[in-house]
């Protein structure tokens, strides 16, 4: 499976649109955003300290990724991005080349689970149609979630915009736009199966 490392190039390319619309610098705290009153007033994202991403038994993760991921996501790619990475991403459009779009039940909400722990991280589409979710994700190159689609019990952000699980799995980045926070997430990071007891 082709795996392309982008060292901030990926984030910069997506983020250029955000900058052009808001004239804000990368890494600005949501609480300081002035481009939108709705953004300034939001209680999300929920931030965490850097120690969430401290080294653990498997990179920043508590263990390796699951052996059989959903949607035919590639194991080695997932392991590198989830556990041994803070800035890189699966290549833009990777998620569309998996079996996700073919297998997704477009009439129901889909729960996306941590590829390491199996904890629920995102539930989408919520408050919009599957087609709206697909179009927004396709336009940015990665599955894109909004505040109400995040399972905040298990997801946090760092001040630089990095989105992570509470267990240290790298997920992607928060790249807000005119409509609010937008979490651009690697599909390989959320392609797990539910852990025992998870819904």
């Amino acid at each position: 499976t082709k795996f392309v490392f982008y060292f901030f190039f990926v984030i910069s390319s997506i983020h250029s649109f955000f900058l052009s619309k808001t004239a804000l610098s990368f890494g600005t705290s949501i609480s300081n955003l002035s481009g939108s009153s709705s953004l300034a007033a939001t209680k999300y994202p929920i931030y965490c300290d850097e120690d969430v991403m401290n080294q653990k038994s498997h990179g920043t993760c508590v263990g390796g990724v699951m052996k059989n991921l959903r949607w035919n996501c590639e194991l080695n790619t997932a392991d590198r991005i989830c556990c041994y990475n803070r800035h890189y991403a699966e290549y833009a459009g990777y998620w569309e080349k998996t079996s996700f779009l073919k297998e997704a039940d477009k009439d129901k909400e889909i729960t996306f689970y941590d590829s390491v722990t199996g904890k629920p991280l995102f539930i989408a589409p919520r408050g919009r149609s599957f087609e709206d979710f697909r179009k927004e994700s396709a336009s940015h190159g990665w599955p894109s979630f909004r505040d109400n689609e995040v399972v905040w019990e298990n997801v946090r952000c760092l001040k630089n915009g990095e989105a992570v699980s509470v267990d240290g799995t790298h997920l992607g980045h928060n790249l807000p736009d005119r409509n609010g926070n937008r979490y651009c997430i690697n599909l390989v990071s959320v392609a797990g199966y539910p852990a025992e007891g998870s819904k």
Side-chain angles (χ1 to χ4, degrees):
T1 300
K2 181 180 179 182
F3 181 76
V4 181
F5 279 121
Y6 296 84
F7 181 63
F8 273 105
F9 175 78
V10 166
I11 303 307
S12 298
S13 62
I14 305 175
H15 200 243
S16 61
F17 175 80
F18 166 59
L19 289 176
S20 68
K21 298 298 182 183
T22 63
L24 296 172
S25 60
F26 183 76
T28 300
S29 168
I30 298 303
S31 62
N32 294 327
L33 290 174
S34 58
S36 168
S37 58
S38 63
L39 282 177
T42 185
K43 63 180 179 180
Y44 298 115
I46 298 176
Y47 291 106
C48 66
D49 295 326
E50 182 67 28
D51 57 8
V52 169
M53 299 301 285
N54 284 348
Q55 291 296 301
K56 304 178 183 68
S57 62
H58 192 79
T60 62
C61 298
V62 295
V65 300
M66 298 177 183
K67 299 301 182 183
N68 296 301
L69 296 171
R70 296 164 80 188
W71 308 307
N72 295 318
C73 286
E74 203 272 323
L75 177 65
N76 291 333
T77 299
D79 199 58
R80 287 194 295 266
I81 289 178
C82 290
C83 304
Y84 292 95
N85 159 63
R86 302 294 302 279
H87 309 296
Y88 304 124
E90 64 197 23
Y91 61 82
Y94 172 90
W95 71 282
E96 294 178 285
K97 298 183 185 304
T98 69
S99 61
F100 172 76
L101 290 174
K102 182 182 295 185
E103 295 180 18
D105 186 336
K106 300 172 179 59
D107 297 318
K108 296 181 180 179
E109 293 180 341
I110 301 166
T111 301
F112 297 79
Y113 297 94
D114 191 318
S115 292
V116 176
T117 67
K119 292 181 180 179
L121 301 177
F122 301 92
I123 301 173
R126 179 164 281 181
R128 55 177 170 168
S129 68
F130 182 88
E131 183 62 11
D132 288 339
F133 168 75
R134 187 200 65 78
K135 285 181 177 179
E136 181 172 66
S137 298
S139 70
H140 298 298
W142 290 265
S144 297
F145 302 91
R146 296 295 177 170
D147 285 335
N148 65 325
E149 297 172 324
V150 183
V151 181
W152 288 109
E153 177 184 352
N154 300 321
V155 177
R156 294 290 184 270
C157 282
L158 283 88
K159 290 294 185 177
N160 67 357
E162 183 183 5
V164 302
S165 79
V166 295
D167 297 297
T169 306
H170 173 82
L171 305 177
H173 284 79
N174 175 27
L175 301 169
D177 62 9
R178 66 179 70 184
N179 295 317
N181 294 313
R182 184 182 75 237
Y183 306 93
C184 295
I185 303 300
N186 296 290
L187 186 66
V188 297
S189 298
V190 294
Y193 288 92
E196 185 176 351
S198 296
K199 295 181 179 181

